[in-house]
Amino acid sequence: MTKIALINLKKWRTDPVIYLVFGLIVVFVIYLFGPIYPFAAEHDETISAWIVSAYFTPVHMTILYVALLGLMFSNAPFYDASAQFSVVRVGRLRWILGQVVYVFAASFLMVAAIWLATWLRYLPRLSFADDWGRVVKSMILNGQLSSEYPMRVYLPNIANTFEPIKTAVLSFVMMWLGTTFGGMLLMFTSFFFGKVVSFSVFGFFWFMSMVPMWMAQMGWGKYALYACPFNYLNIYYTFEYNGMEGLPPFAYCVSMLAVTIVIFATATVIGFCRRDLDAGKEE
């Protein structure tokens, strides 16, 4: 299984889509967190490494990231004419389990790229102390850095009451599970229903990630957050880390992502092992 996943990862070296996805991730990091470094330098302050948990706080970042996610896993379930030889060598079960492992690994690397790019952006003022630091606390309390350095990431007023490292770790888990959900959704729907239906379903959830925030001010709109797992990419869309009534609790978000991932993975593995495969036909 691991070897199959590694084969897919090695293909990244010659895949322009991968360079595009990770290149845009770096660009988005520079855009979002760019104003914070000169502000910290001006005041001779360090920047908490755990501010990376705020990456998805602007609504448009979720929308852009989900689009990149769809591009990343657009060829799921990764079965083409050349894959038939691997299937014959290792067997159907190991091959499809390898694809599941690959989705988990690729999702992990996408999220890790966000963290690494953010940390590199803040060198040498990066701080790994278990404290939000004066810069982040100022952002939370004032809602702005300064007129010269506009704030592009947002943290709820209660965010500074939570442990930074714990918040960041839980945020990483949610981002990883949310990304894996997108990959498994594409693999499951593409295998059983074809590319057209797959991207239609993915597009529906992508659209749903935009709707709740537009309607949140209408009272009932925030409840739509329960219906779209892509919103769970952001830990600050949970009740515990936002405080807004009607937002889904953290345990619900993690459980929903984990359960749907297991269902999609299990159904895809069973279906792949039972179906007659035509290597010349695009699944």
Side-chain angles (χ1 to χ4, degrees), residues 177 181 226-229 232 250-263:
L177 289 176
F181 165 81
Y226 281 85
C228 183
Y232 309 159
F250 176 83
Y252 170 87
C253 296
V254 173
S255 299
M256 178 62 72
L257 289 171
V259 169
T260 52
I261 289 171
V262 169
I263 291 174

Side-chain angles (χ1 to χ4, degrees), residues 30-237:
I30 295 173
Y31 165 76
L32 280 177
F33 297 108
I36 300 176
Y37 183 88
F39 176 82
E42 184 177 288
H43 294 81
D44 195 25
E45 295 285 349
T46 58
I47 306 169
S48 172
W50 318 120
I51 193 177
V52 70
S53 64
Y55 182 84
F56 288 111
T57 50
V59 178
H60 64 277
M61 285 314 305
T62 300
I63 298 170
L64 292 171
Y65 183 79
V66 173
L68 292 180
L69 197 161
L71 186 62
M72 180 80 170
F73 298 110
S74 59
N75 59 337
F78 320 110
Y79 185 83
D80 53 27
S82 62
Q84 60 181 312
F85 302 106
S86 296
V87 174
V88 171
R89 287 199 306 269
V90 303
R92 292 191 181 195
L93 180 59
R94 288 187 179 181
W95 188 89
I96 191 61
L97 286 175
Q99 306 311 312
V100 172
V101 172
Y102 166 72
V103 172
F104 274 91
S107 300
F108 180 90
L109 292 175
M110 286 185 70
V111 178
I114 294 174
W115 282 50
L116 181 60
T118 304
W119 290 349
L120 291 176
R121 176 70 183 86
Y122 286 153
L123 290 176
R125 296 193 170 273
L126 191 65
S127 170
F128 288 95
D130 191 15
D131 180 56
W132 288 111
R134 295 177 62 183
V135 172
V136 175
K137 289 182 178 179
S138 177
M139 293 169 58
I140 295 174
L141 295 176
N142 302 324
Q144 187 65 288
L145 286 170
S146 68
S147 57
E148 293 83 11
Y149 307 108
M151 187 171 68
R152 292 173 180 158
V153 293
Y154 308 90
L155 295 97
N157 292 332
I158 65 172
N160 63 346
T161 64
F162 295 97
E163 299 177 18
I165 296 179
K166 179 181 178 181
T167 300
V169 171
L170 293 178
S171 174
F172 187 98
V173 171
M174 289 188 69
M175 293 164 70
W176 184 18
L177 289 176
T179 304
T180 304
F181 165 81
M184 291 307 306
L185 173 66
L186 283 169
M187 188 157 75
F188 168 79
T189 53
S190 180
F191 178 75
F192 283 101
F193 308 106
K195 293 294 185 184
V196 174
V197 174
S198 177
F199 281 104
S200 297
V201 173
F202 186 87
F204 169 77
F205 281 107
W206 182 47
F207 175 75
M208 285 296 294
S209 69
M210 312 177 198
V211 173
M213 289 298 100
W214 294 347
M215 298 184 176
Q217 302 304 319
M218 300 173 64
W220 61 270
K222 55 181 174 288
Y223 292 99
L225 288 168
Y226 281 85
C228 183
F230 285 138
N231 285 302
Y232 309 159
L233 287 163
N234 184 5
I235 194 172
Y236 298 108
Y237 279 179

